[in-house]
Amino acid sequence: MAIATQGTASNYLQRAPSPSGLADVIDLILDKGLVIDAYVRIAVIGIELITIDARIVIASVDTYLRFAEAVNRLDLTQTEAAGLAELRDGGGNGDGKAKGMVEGAKDAFSGEGNREKERAKGR
Amino acid sequence: MPLESPIIGGAGASTATALYLYGVTWAEAARPQPRAGVHGESVDSVTYRELAGLTSSVESTKLPAKRRDLLRHAEVLGTALEHGTVLPLRFGVVFENGTALVEDFLLPRYNELVQLLRQFEGRVELSVKAFFREEAILAEIVQANPRIARLREATRDGSDGSTYPLRLELGERVAGELQRRTLRDRQALLDRLSRLALDVRVDQQPIEHQVLGASFLVERERVAAFDDAMNELAQQQAERMHFKYLGPLAPHSFVGLDAERR
């Protein structure tokens, strides 16, 4: 099969067969699944000991100052190499620029899609 | 919110033993499980016609549950899924005994449960989470926005009062950009993955740096194709995102009983 010989992408991300961390499990089984309202449910206790690594986004002055600080800490001489397709669009401002960035991202994603199609044809 | 709910004692609270229910599967697919379930009890099943409830005994309906029990609930369902289709229950449902499980659930819901089992035959849930790498996405934002870059230059040297309004503006603009990129990239990921799935549930809770949190209902035979798509996305976005990819799972995000749909 083509996938095995394509190589590069095939083992990039491992699918975990079952939830390993408690955060994943809580996501799945405390909020989802069949519920039978009339029936006794075991109380869950002790879960407050778990720190869940997710921080809910709140628009606040504190959040803004934290982002400002994070941006100021950046060492851009190192990260510039990471360059993304959309950075080609460079300067400009306002709506026109925003549009350019959206299209840039679409290119980044759909470009990959095109390659996939080409590969599929080649099989 | 289950985390804060008090211990609930129902009509069965005074009985010595009770029956914990994990999920419902076809009777012919119900197998003894090698590992213990909630509270360390072995996993058994209660059958009614071609349905089986996966159960284990618990000492009473008032027992507390700990993290190990949550993990075991998920494990039992995962093992059951290896043998066939399973309808997962939310954590914590307890019946007085096997008779009550049949008479109050399997029998009255028989048609609905059979229909659900058929509906999810050969289908599994895959869970996908994508997160921005903070440094990469912030660098991207600074480099793409001259105003943000200028504000950054103007505020780099100090955090005293004089730069406060500029720092506030900088942070607000960064937050806005981050939000825009989150929505844009979420849609791109969804566009790519949804076409391999029968159904999708997207988590709408805004979690910092989380681009996407979604569950996909996928035919078992398409899981490999989904793996390929995930691998390509992970590779293509490696510089700026990391992913959590989980499954195959019982269809936690997609099951629902008629009276309890929300």
Side-chain angles (χ1 to χ4, degrees):
Chain A
M1 210 175 145
I3 296 166
T5 52
Q6 284 288 330
T8 51
S10 50
N11 282 318
Y12 214 80
L13 177 72
Q14 283 300 104
R15 171 164 45 80
S18 57
S20 52
L22 200 59
D24 294 338
V25 172
I26 286 175
D27 254 13
L28 279 180
I29 69 175
L30 286 188
D31 294 343
K32 298 168 178 173
L34 294 179
V35 205
I36 310 165
D37 282 340
Y39 292 87
V40 178
R41 300 194 66 206
I42 285 190
V44 179
I45 63 162
I47 302 302
E48 65 276 6
L49 299 175
I50 300 146
T51 52
I52 298 182
D53 58 351
R55 191 193 327 232
I56 307 298
V57 177
I58 302 159
S60 69
V61 168
D62 282 352
T63 306
Y64 298 153
L65 292 176
R66 193 159 48 75
F67 277 138
E69 197 186 313
V71 162
N72 278 328
R73 270 200 314 268
L74 286 178
D75 181 356
L76 291 183
T77 54
Q78 279 180 356
T79 49
E80 242 151 7
L84 288 151
E86 62 182 55
L87 298 184
R88 287 182 320 225
D89 296 323
N93 51 42
D95 292 341
K97 180 167 176 313
K99 199 174 160 211
M101 286 192 295
V102 170
E103 282 161 4
K106 271 189 191 156
D107 289 348
F109 279 101
S110 62
E112 202 64 22
N114 291 339
R115 275 214 290 289
E116 189 186 48
K117 275 177 216 146
E118 281 161 28
R119 210 178 73 184
K121 269 185 226 158
R123 278 175 197 170
Chain B
M1 193 62 195
L3 300 189
E4 286 153 13
S5 56
I7 293 177
I8 300 164
S14 60
T15 57
T17 62
L19 212 53
Y20 184 90
L21 182 62
Y22 300 88
V24 177
T25 181
W26 295 120
E28 58 179 21
R31 302 268 195 290
Q33 293 218 356
R35 301 184 65 183
V38 168
H39 290 137
E41 298 289 339
S42 61
V43 179
D44 210 338
S45 59
V46 171
T47 57
Y48 170 71
R49 299 173 68 179
E50 61 266 64
L51 298 176
L54 298 172
T55 61
S56 61
S57 59
V58 283
E59 278 175 33
S60 82
T61 54
K62 280 185 131 182
L63 284 181
K66 297 189 171 160
R67 57 186 301 157
R68 185 195 296 149
D69 299 315
L70 295 173
L71 289 165
R72 281 176 171 165
H73 179 101
E75 274 173 21
V76 167
L77 291 171
T79 305
L81 187 68
E82 291 171 14
H83 303 303
T85 310
V86 55
L87 306 174
L89 262 80
R90 197 171 292 198
F91 182 88
V93 175
V94 176
F95 289 82
E96 276 183 63
N97 51 45
T99 308
L101 167 56
V102 171
E103 289 180 355
D104 297 346
F105 183 53
L106 297 181
L107 188 155
R109 296 280 190 173
Y110 173 79
N111 287 334
E112 204 179 342
L113 291 168
V114 165
Q115 198 199 336
L116 281 172
L117 277 170
R118 287 189 185 136
Q119 182 188 332
F120 289 104
E121 200 83 67
R123 297 170 175 186
V124 295
E125 175 169 335
L126 299 175
S127 158
V128 174
K129 288 182 181 177
F131 303 88
F132 281 132
R133 296 184 193 281
E134 183 175 88
E135 285 207 5
I137 193 65
L138 292 182
E140 196 178 304
I141 286 170
V142 171
Q143 287 162 344
N145 293 271
R147 175 71 186 162
I148 287 175
R150 281 199 297 276
L151 283 165
R152 174 172 173 271
E153 287 306 319
T155 57
R156 282 197 89 182
D157 296 332
S159 52
D160 57 70
S162 68
T163 61
Y164 181 84
L166 292 179
R167 280 187 287 129
L168 207 56
E169 186 192 342
L170 172 60
E172 191 170 359
R173 283 178 182 270
V174 168
E177 265 303 309
L178 199 52
Q179 167 73 355
R180 226 148 47 84
R181 279 158 198 265
T182 298
L183 296 178
R184 179 197 74 186
D185 290 5
R186 174 181 301 164
Q187 196 54 52
L189 293 172
L190 281 172
D191 288 348
R192 183 71 177 283
L193 296 171
S194 297
R195 52 181 138 120
L196 298 168
L198 298 160
D199 203 354
V200 188
R201 295 280 182 282
V202 180
D203 183 4
Q204 299 295 346
Q205 195 176 39
I207 292 171
E208 192 165 288
H209 301 326
Q210 181 173 295
V211 183
L212 175 69
S215 283
F216 297 83
L217 186 67
V218 177
E219 299 276 3
R220 271 187 195 271
E221 60 259 40
R222 301 201 78 178
V223 170
F226 205 93
D227 285 352
D228 286 350
M230 283 300 298
N231 267 307
E232 291 200 18
L233 285 170
Q235 185 177 40
Q236 172 198 327
Q237 298 293 319
E239 306 269 1
R240 56 202 290 275
M241 287 186 201
H242 65 94
F243 292 82
K244 279 167 92 175
Y245 181 30
L246 185 62
L249 302 163
H252 298 262
S253 305
F254 301 94
V255 290
L257 293 170
D258 282 345
E260 283 142 1
R261 284 195 192 284
R262 294 175 184 190

